[in-house]
């Protein structure tokens, strides 16, 4: 009798793959029936390594908690242990997903406020792709502002598509409420290629251009709440600006005015 290959532990099937640039792609997988998560959280996902052991990395869930599938938005690191393989994944193939969601970019970690800011760079958009499709975001705030900064225009595409989907998808409009969708403001910027809005968001905060462009007052701890997700350097710089404006960092156990999470762990950090 031929022995059956053992099934992957925590295996989920890929249902869709979309490539955006030579550095970025997104994919959807089946969702374990038992998986409950809060929009903004991350899980460990991966593939079986050549040594027969799972090779896992942290990934923000980019889909909202109500979605029957799970979506991920990923970098392609040319010689990255996981993504050098993961970038070739095809529909029908399997990935490993450990169903233990965690993370700080959750509504519970913030005190009630008037305006929520989501500050992101690169794949740091992923947790906000989840939160922006969650009705609670619009129930909790009068204004929802997402900033996304990338080097090039093509790197903004995934985020732009999510915003378009939110604004045009009938099912989402019904779920979130057409009047609630009017609360959403999208502020994309590029730093190394010409586009309608250029510059690091940190510079645009410091000069006040961001607030002038959107017609909103400067950051104020009485009204503003923020979630930050980008490289470590980005997170440090945005955090300093938020603290300068009087906002305090919160956590699940101690809600305050802003929360921060790394979009990835950088070289040597
Ligand atoms: P690694 O050995 O993990 O990384 C190699 C190098 O590539 C890193 O040192 C860094 O310089 C660079 N790098 C890694 N990830 C990124 C990135 N996302 N953007 C730019 N440069 C990067 N990655 C995602 O693509 N999407 C996510 O939603 C995501 N969520 C994360 C959430 C958390 C809390 C953390 C800590 C990390 C997250 N990451 C995410 C990064 C992810 O865990 C892996 O690092 C990434 O998939 C690359 O894996 P790798 O094995 O190919 O290379
Ligand atoms: P810049 O092109 O000026 O470095 P990366 O691809 O290196 O992760 O960067 C993604 C985007 O985040 C880029 O547009 C980059 O701008 C911007 N960025 C990187 N570091 C910071 C920082 N410390 N503060 C603000 N923006 C940053």
């Amino acid at each position: 009798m031929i022995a059956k290959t053992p099934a992957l532990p925590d295996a989920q099937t890929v249902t869709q793959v979309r490539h955006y640039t030579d550095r970025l792609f997104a994919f959807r997988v089946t969702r374990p029936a038992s998986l409950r998560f809060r929009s903004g959280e991350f899980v460990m996902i991966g593939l079986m390594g050549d040594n027969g052991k799972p090779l896992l990395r942290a990934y923000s869930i980019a889909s909202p908690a109500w979605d029957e599938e799970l979506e991920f938005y990923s970098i392609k690191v040319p010689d990255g242990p996981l993504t050098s393989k993961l970038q070739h994944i095809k529909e029908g193939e399997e990935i490993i997903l450990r169903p233990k969601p965690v993370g700080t970019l959750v509504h519970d970690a913030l005190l009630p406020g008037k305006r929520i800011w989501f500050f992101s760079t690169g794949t740091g958009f992923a947790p906000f792709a989840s939160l922006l499709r969650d009705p609670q975001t619009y129930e909790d705030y009068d204004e929802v502002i997402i900033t996304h900064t990338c080097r090039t225009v093509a790197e903004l595409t995934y985020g732009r598509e999510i915003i378009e989907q939110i604004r045009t998808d009938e099912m989402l409009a019904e779920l979130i409420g057409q009047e609630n969708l009017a609360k959403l403001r999208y502020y994309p910027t590029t730093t190394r290629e010409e586009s309608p809005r250029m510059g690091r968001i940190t510079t645009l905060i410091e000069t006040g251009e961001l607030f002038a462009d959107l017609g909103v007052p400067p950051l104020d701890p009485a009204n503003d709440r923020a979630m930050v997700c980008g490289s470590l350097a980005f997170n440090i710089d945005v955090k300093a600006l938020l603290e300068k404006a009087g906002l305090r960092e919160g956590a699940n156990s101690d809600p305050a005015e802003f929360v921060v999470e790394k979009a990835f762990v950088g070289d040597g950090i």
Side-chain angles (χ1 to χ4, degrees), residues 23 75 120-123 149-152 155 189-192 199-203 230-238 264:
R23 288 182 70 221
I75 191 78
S120 67
T121 61
T123 59
T149 304
C150 293
R151 296 179 184 193
T152 66
E155 288 173 354
T189 82
T190 57
T191 51
R192 302 194 193 182
R200 288 183 164 201
I201 204 71
T202 42
T203 309
S231 64
L232 183 65
F234 173 79
N235 288 359
I236 289 172
D237 290 352
V238 177
F264 60 93

Side-chain angles (χ1 to χ4, degrees), residues 190-238:
T190 57
T191 51
R192 302 194 193 182
E193 189 186 1
E194 197 74 32
S195 77
R197 282 198 199 89
M198 295 200 57
R200 288 183 164 201
I201 204 71
T202 42
T203 309
L204 297 165
I205 292 172
E206 281 176 302
T207 59
E209 211 174 318
L210 171 66
F211 310 106
D213 277 350
L214 293 168
V216 298
L219 296 167
D220 173 355
N223 297 321
D224 293 289
R225 302 292 172 262
M227 296 195 191
V228 185
C229 191
S231 64
L232 183 65
F234 173 79
N235 288 359
I236 289 172
D237 290 352
V238 177

